Structure formats: C-alpha cells, structure tokens
Amino acid sequence: MVQVVLTGVSVAYKIGFTHDPLERVQGYLQDGYSRMHLISVSVSSLLAKFKEFGFALDIPISKIDVGYPKGLMPMIRPTDFYAHLAGLDKISLLYAEQDTQVLSKFWARFAVLEPWNTINDSFEAGTMVPERTIPLLLHGDEARSRKHLPMMVVNTHPIIGYGCKAYENWFSDAPLMKNQAGGVSLKGSVLATRFLHFVMPKKCYGPDSVFLDRMFDELAKDLARLQTEGIQVNGERWHLPIIAATGDWQFFAKLGRLTRCYTHVSKRSGQKTLNGICHLCCAGQANYPWEDFVDAPLWMPSVGTEEPWEQTPSLIRRLHCDSSNRATFFRPDFWHCLHLGAGKAFIASAVVEWLRVVPGCSDLQSPHYTWLTNRNEKLYCRCISETTMGFDSLQKLPSGGWQKASDTTLLMEFLEHFCECHSEVARGDAILHWVWVAATNINLSIRTLYQGGLWLDQHHGRTAAVCGLNFLKAYGHLVSLCLRADRDRFPVTPKFHMLHHLFLELKINSGKHSWALNMLGTSVQQDETFVGILGRHSRRVGPVHTALRSLQRYLAHAAEHLTPEFRQV
Ligand SMILES: [Zn+2]
C-alpha cells in the first residue's frame, strides 16, 4: 500500500507520496500536522487513476510465465504499445512526423543495400506496403539496479528520426538535400523516441539465463506479430518490422548465444583462438588474422560463410533478416566501439607519447583550457591528468580513465588541435606524426557521419569510410612503431575489428550505390541514456516487484513526453 498525503492550505495543495506505514503518518497528525489529509491507495488503483487523468500511458502490462518460481514476469507487448500510439493518432512519431514517402524511400534504398533480405519478398508479394511499413530497431542493455546489480532493459525504437545538431547545421541552407538524406534518431527526449518492453533483474535470469531466454522468445513472438499482422491505423493495416538488433557485444552474446564473440580474444601475444572473435566473420580463427587494418583483409571472404551459433536464435528464426548473412541482424555499435573503446585507447596512449617531448600533463592543461573555453565546452572528467589518462608510469599501458563518451570526442579534437600547434615537433617524430594523422582522420570521419544524416550520399559515405580506415591504418603504424621501440602503448582490441567491418562496409556500399546507411543509425548513445533512466527508476521502487514497478513508473514517465496534451491538471 502507498499512502498519498495531501497537505491542505488555504489556497494551494501540496501533494506528496510516502511509503511510510499508516500508523506513522497518523503519528504526524497527532504531532500537529492538523491540516494533513490522507488518502491510502494501492499501487494498481493509483496507476488506474494516473491513466484516467492522462498521467500514465493506458497500455496493459502482460504477465509472462517464464518458469520463474516467484511469479510471472511483466511485459509491455510491442503490439499493445504501438496499437496504443496508433489509437492516439501518433504513429507518425515513428517516422519523424514526415510524409509517408519517407518510408517508401527508405525501403527502396534498403532493398538495394540488402537485396537478399527476406522482407523484400513480402513487399514483392504485396503482403506489406512500403509506405505503411515502419522500420524499427531492437535494443537491449543491462542497467545498474539496486545494490549495483545488473538489470536487463529491452526497448525498441524507429530508425528514422529527427536528426541531430550537426545534421541540422550542415543542411541548414539545403532543405531538399536534407530531406533526401533524412535524420538519424539522436534528437529529442529519449522517452519520446525509445519505447520500453521489459526489464528483468539479474536475480530473475534463472540458471544459465533460461528465464531471460524465454522472455526474449515471448518478445520475438510478439515482434513477429507486429511484422506480419501489424496494427490497424485509421482502418489501414500497417506493419512494423524489426530490421536489426543493436547494443553492445555482451547483449548480442546473450541474445544470440554466440559461439564466436569478443570473449574469445587471445590474452597473450601469439595465443591462438579456436572459435574466432567476431560473429560476422571468421576473424581470430587460424589463417584469419584480425589485427591487419588493410583494405582487403584476409577475413573478408569469410564474412557470412559460417553462422556464429549452434542453434538459430528465436529472433532470427521469427523475424526478417538478410538471408545471405543472418548474423548481420546483430549490428555492431559504432559508439561503443569508438567512443568507449578504440578512441579511449588511442587518446590515452597518444597523450603519454606526447609526454616524451612535453614535460608533464600540466603543460597540456593550459592550451587545453583555452581551447575548451573558446569552444564553450567542458570535459566531464574535468582535466587531462595522470588519473584521467589512466597511467601510473611510462612503462605501463595507459588505459584511459574517463567514462563519458562525449569526452572522447572532445579529447580527440583537442589532440588534433594540439598536434597542429606543435606541428614542427610532430613532423620530426614518427610516432607523433602518426598520432596527428590518426586524430585528423578520425575527427573528419566522425564529423562527416554526424553531418550526413541517416542516408549518406556517395561523397559523405566515401569520406567517412576512407578517413575511418585511414585512422585504423595509422593506428596500425603506431602499434608497430611502439612495439619496435619496446613501449607498451596502443592496445589492439576486438572493437578495432568491429570498426574495420563498419568502415569497410560503408566504403563498399558508397562505391556501389547512391546511398549507404549511416552507421550512426544503429548506434546506441540515446538508448544508453534511456537505460540509465530505467536503472534510476528501478533503484527507487521496492525490491520485491522491481520489474513491474519499473514498468509502471515508465508508463507514467513516458506519458509526460508522449501525451502531454492529455494530462488533466
Ligand atoms: Zn569480423
């Protein structure tokens, strides 16, 4: 039971909630809070009241029997969620409130990129109509719940979005080109663009995650209904297929029970990995080295030859995917790979290498502060220091101690600026020269990707891909130079291999087709923010019904952003 406390004053009411037991609240009354009025309600009836007055989305929460002995698991079924949006006449939010031509354009370009995707058969057979079919993405990640325990959060969101700031600025004088490129989904409140389906605390995963698997299976069944039966929108049938799963590698490994993934990477130099490190190709297996960042790597012919699972995952069996390489359903995430992986490793090692010619971190501070002030930006990690760069001594491998991905973007741009300011020194030192080359290329690649929109024309696509590949090649030079100098710098992790896939694919697509899909379309920075919010929700509800209460809180929170006009205040 929850006690709702109303404190009445002559002209205004303050409404508050407390989890205190009734007896204690009555004690407050005896202590002199004479104008306090109490209404005691159960959570379910409170949610019903919230729904009645427009303070929560009126969507049913289904109870799924996954075998968890302590009860049923709650889920907001995708079919229920999207049917509710359609009922509110808000389905256009799923394609950034544009004309439905944006959908036909999407599918025409998608068919060129993925001719073997089974969804094309549905369009040809007439069972789905492109201008009434909205492409969605599935995302999952573990949030930090009570006592820092993980909690799986699974959501869907449209791939067509409102763009981002760099895209708006770049196309500000070219509305037709802006319209052609379309926007990625990086703008707007995450509660208005990401939609929750279930959360599951780790204690409920079951032995070998069997209950979590059943939950995913149930979700896959409902997503299959969404793509085949669809929903009714103003008397017409619309379909909402999931075209890819996004998230970090850990999520893919759980979802697909992958036999080849990053956990199989060799920990020592020369150690062989039997299974391979990548779900997309055979990299890491014998004769398929993955550390060579060249235009035609040896692993390239192995892409799509061998599936990375023993048993086909439920999602792949039930949903449309590229039949020529079904593993591409699990899209590598650019943001994790670069901003929280390769970029961090690069900056930390590059700064330490600069310390050979710049006496100490403090000498980087002054130009760094001036540069940040001129741009009106700030670092979350506050400064460049031994702690933030994560190095104890010049003999050890620096790890990069900051947590925010946006810091990586800023630090990479600062590094380029710093190299330009000390160009004479950089030109005279091979390692510092390649640091400069790598920083310049990756910054240009990132800027191009953010400017370009959801669909990159050949110019944008090629620039982003070639510069990205140049970064990897420069990094490869840095690795070998430092190895020769016997210094522990510039580590190579599987995230570099994923970037290699992403940039090579973009280069090939930009060379062959007029439009290539931007890798930022499937990157997850906004989803991470969404997962963070759900983590906070879960830490503020009781420990017994965490999953259900988190979903109920979400329905109330989402209503603020999705249906503010229905709130009866
Ligand atoms: Zn690979």
Side-chain angles (χ1 to χ4, degrees):
M1 300 287 272
V2 166
Q3 320 302 328
V4 179
V5 184
L6 302 177
T7 307
V9 289
S10 57
V11 288
Y13 282 90
K14 184 178 180 188
I15 301 177
F17 296 86
T18 175
H19 290 273
D20 282 353
L22 194 57
E23 299 75 35
R24 192 180 301 161
V25 179
Q26 279 168 342
Y28 300 153
L29 282 174
Q30 288 161 9
D31 287 346
Y33 290 92
S34 56
R35 286 187 298 188
M36 183 155 67
H37 305 280
L38 302 178
I39 304 171
S40 173
V41 289
S42 71
V43 172
S44 53
S45 61
L46 182 66
L47 189 68
K49 280 284 168 211
F50 267 47
K51 287 179 177 178
E52 186 185 333
F53 288 95
F55 284 92
L57 296 177
D58 193 5
I59 302 172
I61 295 176
S62 306
K63 302 287 173 61
I64 314 291
D65 184 5
V66 291
Y68 182 57
K70 290 186 181 170
L72 304 173
M73 294 310 298
M75 177 192 282
I76 301 170
R77 290 186 185 276
T79 42
D80 289 335
F81 190 96
Y82 290 109
H84 181 70
L85 269 193
L88 298 173
D89 203 16
K90 284 179 178 279
I91 204 77
S92 62
L93 289 176
L94 305 178
Y95 46 94
E97 298 171 272
Q98 302 174 74
D99 191 274
T100 52
Q101 275 182 355
V102 71
L103 297 172
S104 347
K105 194 167 66 188
F106 179 92
W107 293 114
R109 292 174 184 175
F110 188 76
V112 174
L113 283 184
E114 292 195 13
W116 304 111
N117 196 305
T118 48
I119 201 166
N120 299 321
D121 302 335
S122 301
F123 289 132
E124 276 168 29
T127 52
M128 288 161 82
V129 182
E131 57 265 28
R132 295 203 301 274
T133 304
I134 303 171
L136 299 179
L137 298 170
L138 174 72
H139 171 262
D141 196 5
E142 283 184 329
R144 213 160 34 90
S145 186
R146 299 171 79 86
K147 296 180 182 171
H148 299 277
L149 289 172
M151 178 182 81
M152 179 60 73
V153 178
V154 178
N155 66 287
T156 55
H157 69 88
I159 188 168
I160 298 172
Y162 295 86
C164 61
K165 203 170 151 192
Y167 159 79
E168 293 286 338
N169 293 341
W170 180 255
F171 289 114
S172 59
D173 297 327
L176 289 178
M177 285 172 73
K178 181 182 170 189
N179 193 31
Q180 278 297 314
V184 291
S185 185
L186 294 178
K187 196 173 160 189
S189 162
V190 290
L191 284 152
T193 55
R194 267 73 184 157
F195 313 120
L196 180 69
H197 297 305
F198 72 84
V199 301
M200 197 181 210
K202 193 175 173 73
K203 66 177 182 190
C204 309
Y205 286 7
D208 198 24
S209 301
V210 63
F211 302 148
L212 182 64
D213 280 352
R214 287 181 196 154
M215 203 66 178
F216 277 128
D217 195 38
E218 196 60 34
L219 182 73
K221 281 183 204 164
D222 203 68
L223 291 173
R225 274 181 55 209
L226 203 58
Q227 88 175 11
T228 49
E229 294 171 27
I231 53 170
Q232 287 288 330
V233 181
N234 298 327
E236 288 180 317
R237 187 165 294 282
W238 286 56
H239 299 272
L240 291 88
I242 298 285
I243 58 166
T246 60
D248 58 13
W249 237 336
Q250 208 179 357
F251 174 62
F252 293 162
K254 269 201 177 71
L255 190 59
R257 300 249 162 187
L258 301 179
T259 50
R260 298 198 309 263
C261 78
Y262 72 105
T263 48
H264 299 142
V265 70
S266 55
K267 304 288 188 296
R268 296 189 308 275
S269 173
Q271 185 188 2
K272 286 279 166 268
T273 50
L274 295 175
N275 287 341
I277 57 136
C278 172
H279 67 283
L280 298 173
C281 72
C282 294
Q285 295 179 0
N287 305 323
Y288 295 111
W290 56 273
E291 298 95 337
D292 285 343
F293 305 120
V294 290
D295 285 334
L298 289 173
W299 50 259
M300 199 66 180
S302 73
V303 173
T305 54
E306 214 177 291
E307 294 199 317
W309 44 69
E310 284 169 357
Q311 203 176 7
T312 309
S314 170
L315 277 166
I316 303 280
R317 272 191 288 115
R318 294 178 190 278
L319 304 180
H320 288 300
C321 57
D322 188 349
S323 56
S324 67
N325 186 4
R326 298 196 295 173
T328 54
F329 186 82
F330 299 113
R331 298 284 164 107
D333 170 39
F334 176 72
W335 184 74
H336 268 104
C337 292
L338 185 70
H339 293 76
L340 297 176
K344 279 177 78 172
F346 167 64
I347 294 164
S349 287
V351 166
V352 176
E353 279 303 305
W354 265 105
L355 290 185
R356 285 190 290 113
V357 289
V358 180
C361 272
S362 53
D363 290 274
L364 289 165
Q365 285 303 357
S366 170
H368 167 240
Y369 279 132
T370 318
W371 181 80
L372 278 179
T373 314
N374 289 343
R375 291 171 55 114
N376 200 20
E377 309 249 27
K378 67 165 188 170
L379 281 176
Y380 280 90
C381 65
R382 291 173 181 269
C383 61
I384 297 175
S385 68
E386 285 84 353
T387 315
T388 53
M389 291 300 117
F391 77 100
D392 303 327
S393 74
L394 289 172
Q395 280 73 42
K396 285 191 181 166
L397 177 71
S399 56
W402 64 95
Q403 302 299 325
K404 275 275 183 188
S406 57
D407 281 359
T408 308
T409 314
L410 276 179
L411 286 169
M412 280 198 292
E413 294 208 17
F414 170 70
L415 191 61
E416 182 184 346
H417 166 78
F418 189 81
C419 292
E420 272 167 19
C421 294
H422 299 76
S423 55
E424 284 304 311
V425 184
R427 282 198 189 97
D429 184 295
I431 290 179
L432 299 182
H433 167 72
W434 284 112
V435 164
W436 188 7
V437 171
T440 311
N441 274 284
I442 197 60
N443 286 335
L444 180 55
S445 179
I446 294 172
R447 278 197 297 272
T448 312
L449 288 172
Y450 275 90
Q451 284 165 359
L454 180 62
W455 291 99
L456 299 173
D457 59 34
Q458 286 191 304
H459 169 69
H460 273 91
R462 198 172 158 74
T463 306
V466 170
C467 289
L469 287 169
N470 284 347
F471 163 73
L472 293 178
K473 289 171 191 170
Y475 195 90
H477 283 303
L478 288 166
V479 173
S480 60
L481 284 169
C482 284
L483 208 62
R484 248 179 274 160
D486 200 21
R487 285 203 294 276
D488 202 0
R489 305 275 184 272
F490 300 103
V492 182
T493 63
K495 284 181 178 171
F496 282 88
H497 175 66
M498 279 294 137
L499 286 175
H500 202 183
H501 266 288
L502 288 168
F503 288 131
L504 268 185
E505 188 192 0
L506 182 58
K507 190 182 170 199
I508 292 166
N509 286 338
S510 306
K512 283 202 295 196
H513 312 302
S514 306
W515 297 97
L517 197 59
N518 192 338
M519 58 188 86
L520 289 180
T522 51
S523 75
V524 304
Q525 50 267 60
Q526 293 287 87
D527 298 271
E528 289 270 327
T529 310
F530 182 78
V531 168
I533 292 172
L534 265 295
R536 275 204 297 283
H537 283 183
S538 73
R539 295 194 293 273
R540 289 170 186 169
V541 298
V544 182
H545 303 293
T546 308
L548 179 63
R549 299 286 178 260
S550 299
L551 261 53
Q552 288 168 335
R553 275 194 173 225
Y554 162 75
L555 288 179
H557 203 171
E560 271 180 44
H561 298 267
L562 280 170
T563 57
E565 69 274 30
F566 298 130
R567 290 158 70 91
Q568 298 175 32
V569 184

